[in-house]
Amino acid sequence: MGSVVLSLDAELGWGFHDLRNPPTRRVEAGRRGWSTMLELLEEYRIPATWAVVGHLMLESCDGRHADHPAPDGWFERERTDWQDREDVRFGPDLVRDLLGSDVDHEFASHSFSHVLFGRPETDRELAAAELERSLEIAADWNQCVESFIYPRNSVGHRDVLAEQGLRAYRSKSPTGHGIRCIFDLTVRNKSLLVTPTIDEHGLVDIPASLFLFGFEGSARTVAESVWDDPMVALARHGIDQATERDGIFHMWLHPNNLTHERDDRRMRAILSYLAQRRAETDLTVETMADVVHRVTGTTAEAGVKPTVSRR
Ligand SMILES: [Zn+2]
Ligand SMILES: [Zn+2]
């Protein structure tokens, strides 16, 4: 019997601040999507790993962050287009909603300002500062952080994660996204389940199985007219696989992917199916931290004691 993990990259405007033309719909959907996901997860009693951009937990800032070793201009949008957009730069209200939820969600980190760790120009100093700052803010909020989700899944500086006491991260899905994923599953009958491993730094790597919004635009419209919502079908397939054998079905999304009501319907269909299968079988829903504790045989405070094979 396997388990299901759901992780969310919670970032409001920070997922796009470095882009020349931030996608308006996604930027504007961040707050609504956050609240909708919290409500749905409460309704179906599903705990998830919420990786939050640290800057969102500030009440205000000077838009410069002169003590932060980011490249020049990194925070420029805070001083220009988004100068009056506190709603996309800050979200302590939303983080309070998350921490106050009846469901036992895991609070995780998505860096301080969404720096891409895998980029060659992101040096060790910047990676360390991004982590340090987000962990400091988390500590101000009485949160201890075990899991890290890399901005844009750009994996890098894993040794720095380990040094700062992080214990897990999400790596890229071994299967493709969208149409490619459907092809893999139907033609090659591939498994959507992943297996956590412990890397050379003692960190637990929990790969993604499926990005729930990897199938968008006109391809989605065409596919929906033929198959209803193909992503719901894929997610159900992954959930079913986790009821049949060992392994993790790891779904992920950004709250700001919920840009239309049909996206809310997608999430409701997936979460209600998950709750139903959990009730009918021994299937469990885990957070990334639960996975860490299970595979290392430790708790939040204890050190890593590996019981699965090292890569
Ligand atoms: Zn700022
Ligand atoms: Zn992100």
Side-chain angles (χ1 to χ4, degrees):
M1 179 64 64
S3 65
V4 173
V5 172
L6 176 66
S7 56
L8 296 105
D9 302 15
E11 55 198 24
L12 297 184
W14 290 97
F16 313 104
H17 75 107
D18 55 328
L19 304 180
R20 193 181 302 264
N21 295 304
T24 309
R25 225 175 239 152
R26 296 276 306 279
V27 172
E28 302 306 329
R31 290 190 152 258
R32 194 194 71 88
W34 189 307
S35 300
T36 303
M37 281 308 300
L38 272 183
E39 284 165 22
L40 285 171
L41 294 170
E42 273 184 30
E43 184 175 341
Y44 294 104
R45 316 298 303 171
I46 291 171
T49 293
W50 287 73
V52 177
V53 167
H55 191 291
L56 293 179
M57 297 161 78
L58 303 175
E59 297 285 344
S60 63
C61 75
D62 63 1
R64 300 196 171 273
H65 303 279
D67 54 346
H68 195 65
D72 283 350
W74 181 247
F75 294 98
E76 193 182 315
R77 200 153 246 127
E78 290 205 286
R79 304 188 298 275
T80 54
D81 307 358
W82 290 353
Q83 194 180 7
D84 299 322
R85 294 299 307 270
E86 271 91 359
D87 60 319
V88 302
R89 293 158 53 205
F90 306 104
D93 51 328
L94 294 173
V95 177
R96 274 189 286 273
D97 291 347
L98 164 62
L99 300 178
S101 170
D102 291 347
V103 179
D104 202 8
H105 294 302
E106 176 190 5
F107 174 87
S109 173
H110 195 39
S111 79
F112 171 65
S113 64
H114 215 264
V115 161
L116 306 187
F117 277 49
R119 279 258 181 92
E121 56 272 31
T122 300
D123 59 17
R124 220 168 176 281
E125 187 198 2
L126 177 55
E130 278 284 302
L131 276 175
E132 233 167 67
R133 191 77 189 98
S134 70
L135 297 182
E136 267 168 27
I137 297 169
D140 290 344
W141 285 63
N142 282 323
Q143 298 302 309
C144 107
V145 180
E146 294 185 84
S147 307
F148 184 75
I149 291 183
Y150 283 103
R152 282 184 214 137
N153 294 310
S154 176
V155 176
H157 298 288
R158 286 177 292 132
D159 55 326
V160 180
L161 263 61
E163 238 174 56
Q164 300 211 17
L166 273 295
R167 305 189 63 196
Y169 63 94
R170 185 184 73 206
S171 63
K172 276 184 193 150
S173 162
T175 52
H177 283 336
I179 290 178
R180 175 68 202 287
C181 184
I182 298 222
F183 174 82
D184 280 349
L185 285 159
T186 53
V187 181
R188 300 181 193 157
N189 198 24
K190 241 189 188 163
S191 171
L192 275 166
L193 305 188
V194 295
T195 307
T197 54
I198 299 181
D199 74 7
E200 66 271 34
H201 307 291
L203 297 166
V204 181
D205 171 11
I206 309 169
S209 298
L210 184 65
F211 174 46
L212 294 176
F213 290 85
F215 191 80
E216 300 307 307
S218 55
R220 174 173 178 175
T221 306
V222 170
E224 274 186 1
S225 63
V226 183
W227 293 317
D228 199 13
D229 183 344
M231 196 56 78
V232 174
L234 269 180
R236 285 185 179 171
H237 191 61
I239 293 166
D240 285 339
Q241 286 183 341
T243 65
E244 288 157 5
R245 59 195 101 126
D246 287 348
I248 296 172
F249 177 54
H250 185 178
M251 308 180 269
W252 72 278
L253 73 154
H254 312 88
N256 63 37
N257 285 124
L258 278 63
T259 55
H260 293 86
E261 267 174 39
R262 67 178 187 177
D263 305 314
D264 303 3
R265 287 199 294 275
R266 171 181 291 179
M267 290 314 303
R268 178 179 290 282
I270 294 169
L271 297 176
S272 65
Y273 188 71
L274 174 56
Q276 181 199 329
R277 297 299 285 153
R278 179 179 56 182
E280 293 166 348
T281 66
D282 292 330
L283 179 71
T284 53
V285 176
E286 296 182 295
T287 62
M288 289 174 65
D290 292 334
V291 173
V292 170
H293 304 159
R294 177 165 58 83
V295 303
T296 61
T298 58
T299 59
E301 282 74 34
V304 176
K305 201 173 54 176
T307 56
V308 299
S309 59
R310 284 169 181 271
R311 278 197 303 223

